Amino acid sequence: MSLLTVSTVAELREFVQQAKFKGLSVGFVPTMGNLHAGHMSLIKHAKKHCDVVVASIFVNPLQFNDESDLTSYPRTLEQDQALLTDNGCHLLFAPTVAEMYPNGQESQTLVSVPDISIGLCGGSRPGHFDGVATVVSKLFNMVQADKAFFGEKDFQQLAVIRKMVQDMCIPIEIMGVATERSSDNDTAGLALSSRNGYLSPEELTRAPVLYATLKEVAAAIQQGNDTLSTLENAQARLTQKGFKVDYLTLCRQSDLKPVTADDTQLVVLVAAFLGKARLIDNLPFPLNRTND
Ligand code: PAF
């Protein structure tokens, strides 16, 4: 089957209904386009777990709190279609803003996931996760897939979506996929992201420091070092390397709340500006507390 691109909900529904009528399972990969190897890893996972793979490309205005960020967000449809074709995606849903928000964005019913949307990226981008939860719940209703695939790079986003699906009893299985990282010599370890495109060649060579720092923090905490001073020292090192740190913090994985003495599944998360680019990354890790 070659890639079919549709832009209306009616065409999308028709395609998915036919697949389901044939007894095929449907996997869904929502994206904002400008696709790279990280997205292709989601497509590969979807193909492994489902018979038919639907991807969407929609730069969702509702989740941007900065107008210039929305306008400058890279739109590369033809290149994206070629990548999706090469990786065996079956259907691309690429709606217009009017198709997604026919009654206008202002009067759109909002989905808001409390607690977990506050803080971290939700702190610096107010309303961002309401925009994400709203568009993702609409897309889930439009596609009616069996499983949906999201990258763990957006750790808070994944947690928000899992909570939304649970709270709203949405009949879909959420699959988290490990962050895809650069294996090039100059940028090894850097999490793949559309926002890396905003980095100058010189900034690109410095950007892997972000992940290296997360690994150092995780190792130090696993060795029993004090959390606060570990984070402070790591933040100082990032600042010295020219990053403007938005947050660098340790949370428990389940709900991104502060770590308590009983928690063993932790995650260190970072958001930092390097030049124009706001980069995010995280590293989940276990903590063995038997020696405490
Ligand atoms: O992660 C993204 O690309 C977007 O936030 C998503 C999930 C496609 C919703 O617009």
Side-chain angles (χ1 to χ4, degrees), residues 15 21 23 26 47 66 72-73 92 95 98 110 112-113 123 131 168 172 186 225 239 242 254 263 267 288:
F15 178 94
F21 186 70
V26 178
K47 280 184 73 82
D66 177 344
S72 60
Y73 200 86
L92 169 61
L110 293 181
S112 185
V113 185
M168 301 308 288
I172 192 162
D186 292 355
N225 289 299
T239 308
S254 55
D263 293 320
V267 56
N288 180 353

Side-chain angles (χ1 to χ4, degrees), residues 30-32 39 56 58 60 63 73 128 131-132 135-136 139 150 154 157 161:
T31 81
M32 297 207 300
H39 298 108
S56 65
F58 179 62
N60 174 32
Q63 70 188 74
Y73 200 86
H128 169 68
V132 171
V135 81
V136 170
L139 287 165
F150 292 87
D154 297 292
Q157 170 172 282
I161 289 164

Side-chain angles (χ1 to χ4, degrees), residues 27-172:
F28 176 43
V29 179
T31 81
M32 297 207 300
N34 194 231
L35 305 179
H36 49 65
H39 298 108
M40 291 312 115
S41 163
L42 302 180
I43 298 286
K44 281 177 200 148
H45 275 80
K47 280 184 73 82
K48 202 168 122 196
H49 290 274
C50 302
D51 302 315
V52 170
V53 176
V54 175
S56 65
I57 293 182
F58 179 62
V59 183
N60 174 32
L62 227 52
Q63 70 188 74
F64 284 80
N65 44 347
D66 177 344
E67 189 65 34
S68 69
D69 193 17
L70 170 64
T71 358
S72 60
Y73 200 86
R75 287 150 172 96
T76 51
L77 186 61
E78 278 180 24
Q79 189 186 306
D80 294 347
Q81 283 169 315
L83 262 181
L84 290 170
T85 305
D86 290 350
N87 285 273
C89 176
H90 301 107
L91 184 86
L92 169 61
F93 176 52
T96 59
V97 173
E99 183 72 11
M100 284 304 286
Y101 300 117
N103 300 320
Q105 290 168 60
E106 280 69 36
S107 65
Q108 168 65 46
T109 302
L110 293 181
V111 179
S112 185
V113 185
D115 289 346
I116 202 148
S117 299
I118 309 297
L120 304 172
C121 285
S124 19
R125 303 180 68 189
H128 169 68
F129 286 117
D130 290 357
V132 171
T134 302
V135 81
V136 170
S137 63
K138 287 188 76 141
L139 287 165
F140 283 175
N141 285 333
M142 290 168 175
V143 181
Q144 308 261 320
D146 299 289
K147 296 183 195 323
F149 297 79
F150 292 87
E152 283 176 359
K153 183 180 80 72
D154 297 292
F155 202 89
Q156 189 178 12
Q157 170 172 282
L158 180 54
V160 166
I161 289 164
R162 284 194 197 284
K163 179 76 172 27
M164 173 185 83
V165 163
Q166 204 181 39
D167 283 355
M168 301 308 288
C169 306
I170 304 179
I172 192 162

